[in-house]
Amino acid sequence: MTCPYLEYREESDGTAFETERAYCTAVESFVQPMRADICNDRYDLEHSTDCEYYLAAEGEREPTE
């Protein structure tokens, strides 16, 4: 199951990209492909236990900077 905070966007602030990029609505920021792997529950990772952004958004952990 994919993280509910993950979106893929082809543009931002009027700038268009050649390919879609991973965007995390929990932190309102584009994220690195490695982070998107966590969001997509790849490589034995699960967003509900391994992502500090998800846990902070769900109130289960303090946000990190």
Side-chain angles (χ1 to χ4, degrees):
M1 172 182 177
T2 302
C3 178
Y5 298 106
L6 178 67
E7 296 180 355
Y8 284 92
R9 298 186 178 182
E10 291 182 349
E11 66 177 297
S12 176
D13 298 325
T15 301
F17 310 122
E18 290 183 24
T19 59
E20 292 180 322
R21 294 183 182 184
Y23 185 86
C24 177
T25 60
V27 293
E28 298 180 351
S29 177
F30 286 96
V31 294
Q32 297 293 324
M34 183 183 236
R35 165 104 23 217
D37 285 339
I38 297 171
C39 300
N40 286 304
D41 297 340
R42 293 184 183 136
Y43 308 112
D44 293 326
L45 297 167
E46 293 186 32
H47 66 275
S48 61
T49 56
D50 298 313
C51 179
E52 66 268 18
Y53 298 160
Y54 175 86
L55 294 169
E58 295 293 308
E60 297 178 29
R61 182 184 291 178
E62 290 296 314
T64 58
E65 308 238 344

